[in-house]
Amino acid sequence: MLRIAVIIGSTRPGRNGEAVAKWVYEIAQKRGDAKFELVDIKDFNLPLLDEPMSPMMGQYTLQHTKDWSAKIASFDAYVFVTPEYNHAMPAALKNAIDFLYHEWVNKAAGFVSYGGASGIRAVENLRLVMGELQVADVKAQVGLSLFTDFENFSVFKPAPQQEQSVNAMLDQVIAWGGAMKSLRELSAVY
Ligand SMILES: Cc1cc2nc3c(=O)[nH]c(=O)nc-3n(C[C@H](O)[C@H](O)[C@H](O)COP(=O)(O)O)c2cc1C
């Protein structure tokens, strides 16, 4: 069965990201077609990238990088839960992505975003980065508005139709995650 990480992309105290990611995880848990895990970047205490070699070399010297690498390498696909900070993804998420390279390659990804404009621009920003990492990012995405899916911009109350959007995105992540897994297995043979 595919292993899929639901990654919490924000790290600040009082973040909305935790409630959003838990909601995505709970919806995912009701499905029987993949194994899901909640992954919190915050738990890995990553400083600003401090490895001497490029992650493309895969020669990690620091324990926090080794721990993060082992966690990310263990998945076939990712769901990034991201807010929009100044029309982009949060620096903490970009930094966590930048720490690694081969762990992401030939995997699949989907996005759940939130913000004043539903975090759409953060996802566009993430899609650029996914291209460089050779991650197959799916079209279906979930956009949550601070105005209609939260109370007072801070209490998460998703509109009822959003659960359906999560499942539509997960359908594609699972399909593409399976295809990319086959590709990785083929590349290992040839
Ligand atoms: C540094 C910063 C920049 C932000 N920039 C934007 C923005 O460009 N567009 C937007 O819609 N919301 C923006 N927001 C609002 C956030 O999307 C909103 O506060 C969200 O809850 C932040 O996610 P978090 O609570 O998980 O940290 C910004 C918030 C912060 C803290």
Side-chain angles (χ1 to χ4, degrees):
M1 204 178 267
L2 287 191
R3 280 178 43 77
I4 302 179
V6 176
I7 299 179
I8 310 178
S10 62
T11 52
R12 71 179 185 92
R15 60 192 168 162
N16 281 326
E18 204 169 324
V20 175
K22 282 185 175 155
W23 169 76
V24 172
Y25 176 71
E26 276 157 26
I27 295 169
Q29 284 289 79
K30 292 188 214 159
R31 305 172 62 108
D33 50 358
K35 197 170 181 319
F36 294 89
E37 187 177 318
L38 208 50
V39 173
D40 193 346
I41 291 171
K42 202 167 182 288
D43 291 341
F44 292 81
N45 292 315
L46 296 170
L48 282 175
L49 181 57
D50 58 351
E51 283 287 347
M53 306 277 276
S54 161
M56 279 192 198
M57 310 303 288
Q59 292 177 23
Y60 305 133
T61 61
L62 300 161
Q63 195 55 47
H64 54 251
T65 318
K66 291 175 187 172
D67 293 344
W68 179 235
S69 165
K71 178 54 73 182
I72 291 304
S74 73
F75 297 104
D76 301 296
Y78 311 94
V79 173
F80 291 97
V81 176
T82 185
E84 180 174 305
Y85 285 1
N86 296 316
H87 290 202
M89 76 182 91
L93 176 56
K94 178 63 162 56
N95 184 56
I97 292 172
D98 289 347
F99 254 96
L100 308 177
Y101 183 75
H102 294 284
E103 296 83 347
W104 302 113
V105 170
N106 288 337
K107 308 278 181 76
F111 308 103
V112 176
S113 62
Y114 52 99
S118 305
I120 301 301
R121 293 162 295 213
V123 173
E124 291 300 299
N125 178 228
L126 261 163
R127 288 187 188 280
L128 272 180
V129 176
M130 295 294 108
E132 173 58 14
L133 293 170
Q134 303 176 77
V135 174
D137 49 326
V138 304
K139 176 181 165 84
Q141 65 188 66
V142 183
L144 301 159
S145 164
L146 286 180
F147 296 98
T148 54
D149 294 301
F150 290 81
E151 270 176 20
N152 299 321
F153 308 107
S154 58
V155 181
F156 185 46
K157 294 266 172 77
Q161 76 275 10
Q162 296 291 12
E163 178 160 349
Q164 205 181 330
S165 307
V166 171
N167 276 311
M169 178 272 297
L170 290 176
D171 287 346
Q172 292 191 347
V173 171
I174 290 166
W176 284 28
M180 297 309 280
K181 188 174 184 186
S182 304
L183 178 71
R184 291 198 307 282
E185 284 161 1
L186 269 177
S187 335
V189 172
Y190 295 106

